Amino acid sequence: MNREPDWALWRSFAAVVANGSLSGAARELGISQPTVGRHVETLEADLGLPLFERSLTGLKPNATALRLFDSVSRAQALLAEAAIVAQGALDDFGGTVRITASEMISNHVLPQLLLPIRQRYPRIAVEIVPSDSAENLLLREADIAIRMFRPTQLELVTRRLGAIEIIPAAHADYLARRGTPRQITDLYDHDLIGFDRSDAIETHARSLGFPLTRDNFQLRSDSQPHLWALMVAGLGIGFGQAKLVASTPGMVALPIDLKIPPLDVWLTTHRELFTSHRIRAIYDALAEGLETYINGKAPFR
């Protein structure tokens, strides 16, 4: 080794391995492609080792690079954990809390939950990441996550808040035009709204003895907020959260029990962040608001 490489060089190296190209690494790191290229060349010079095979399709890490990447990835995780510990040591009610939740929860539930929270904690800024993917709390992609599955990492503090009932529903305008289905077989005569690539609805329908294929859905999308917007516009019959159906003008719950499994709701944060006053304050306030939404008798307003 010619000299000890700077951490910024390792960071660029890891991003190139993970993305397979200088351009992908540059986008991930928020720096220019030439800078990433210089970092890689400098790292190779500092180590006295070639790390990549250059080709027209990008950079291919060699065997040495892959072994180094494993160690660098562990180092990145440890640095992220150190940042979490430092963040948790802060003892004030200012700063920022980053929340991730599904697109439906982010767009249709969180705004009303955040109104009293913002009034109670005006010095805490809130960042929201609407995403149906699982952001990694351990790498600080979010401080708090609202998830529809139970996280399993031991480093996380997790609390189950209840289950959200999912029901078939349609807008009153659509039902006025096409009539209200009373049993499951009536759905064949209606415009159904469902997923494009996911087969979750078809799989559940088959478990009920109700043969259903992708072609039975006249309107398809993998964006749940878009599917909800189609339903609210009166374009057909779809599936939504019972509380959201009850609180949306014009939406009608259909009198058909499809035995759709409810969605468990889990509130999660890193155990070290749980010692931060602001993280704990927002976590507890979200728990209270979500439990009211999920378990409350009245429709959520």
Side-chain angles (χ1 to χ4, degrees):
M1 183 182 295
N2 298 323
R3 65 176 180 176
E4 184 73 26
D6 184 87
W7 173 248
L9 307 183
W10 288 116
R11 189 165 171 260
S12 291
F13 158 78
V16 173
V17 174
N19 290 276
S21 67
L22 295 175
S23 58
R27 285 192 296 271
E28 177 185 320
L29 298 174
I31 59 179
S32 70
Q33 182 173 329
T35 298
V36 176
R38 286 194 299 272
H39 283 179
V40 170
E41 292 173 358
T42 302
L43 179 63
E44 290 178 318
D46 288 350
L47 297 175
L49 292 169
L51 299 174
F52 296 94
E53 297 175 12
R54 273 75 171 174
S55 70
L56 294 177
T57 58
L59 299 181
K60 181 180 179 181
N62 58 27
T64 299
L66 292 176
R67 289 196 299 271
L68 290 172
F69 177 70
D70 185 56
S71 297
V72 173
S73 296
R74 290 198 301 270
Q76 286 179 312
L78 289 171
L79 286 172
E81 184 176 346
I84 287 173
V85 173
Q87 188 69 41
L90 292 178
D91 196 31
D92 64 86
F93 281 87
T96 300
V97 175
R98 187 174 176 86
I99 303 168
T100 183
S102 72
E103 292 189 357
M104 285 301 293
I105 293 293
S106 294
N107 285 304
H108 298 286
V109 180
L110 268 184
Q112 295 179 70
L113 294 184
L114 289 174
L115 181 59
I117 292 175
R118 290 287 302 130
Q119 293 171 339
R120 186 174 180 182
Y121 303 109
R123 292 183 57 220
I124 300 178
V126 177
E127 296 175 352
I128 302 169
V129 184
S131 174
D132 291 322
S133 63
E135 273 64 31
N136 195 329
L137 296 182
L138 301 183
L139 293 180
R140 291 303 309 278
E141 293 175 1
D143 298 317
I144 297 173
I146 302 168
R147 291 185 170 156
M148 306 308 176
F149 60 90
R150 182 176 187 173
T152 57
Q153 295 99 324
L154 296 178
E155 298 89 345
L156 300 180
V157 174
T158 300
R159 177 175 172 182
R160 184 182 182 275
L161 302 177
I164 294 177
E165 183 184 4
I166 305 298
I167 60 173
H171 195 276
D173 290 346
Y174 172 84
L175 299 176
R177 296 194 310 271
R178 301 289 300 275
T180 300
R182 300 292 174 180
Q183 55 189 5
I184 191 169
T185 53
D186 293 342
L187 295 177
Y188 282 121
D189 299 323
H190 284 269
D191 293 337
L192 300 182
I193 298 173
F195 294 124
D196 180 17
R197 288 169 293 184
S198 170
D199 64 353
I201 299 175
E202 296 100 299
T203 299
H204 179 68
R206 286 194 295 270
S207 73
L208 299 177
F210 177 52
L212 198 66
T213 70
R214 181 176 180 273
D215 292 336
N216 290 115
F217 296 99
Q218 283 71 36
L219 295 106
R220 299 185 287 263
S221 174
D222 289 315
S223 167
Q224 294 195 41
H226 184 65
L227 293 175
W228 177 250
L230 295 175
M231 293 168 62
V232 173
L235 287 167
I237 293 172
F239 310 91
Q241 299 177 21
K243 289 294 180 67
L244 188 56
V245 171
S247 63
T248 302
M251 291 302 294
V252 178
L254 299 182
I256 304 174
D257 181 8
L258 296 181
K259 298 179 173 58
I260 301 172
L263 296 175
D264 278 350
V265 181
W266 298 84
L267 191 63
T268 306
T269 189
H270 195 282
R271 65 184 181 189
E272 299 293 349
L273 287 178
F274 207 53
T275 63
S276 162
H277 284 187
R278 69 172 179 275
I279 300 291
R280 181 62 184 265
I282 300 302
Y283 184 97
D284 288 344
L286 282 174
E288 180 181 355
L290 283 167
E291 286 181 329
T292 298
Y293 170 66
I294 296 167
N295 304 312
K297 299 297 184 183
F300 186 70
R301 298 290 181 182

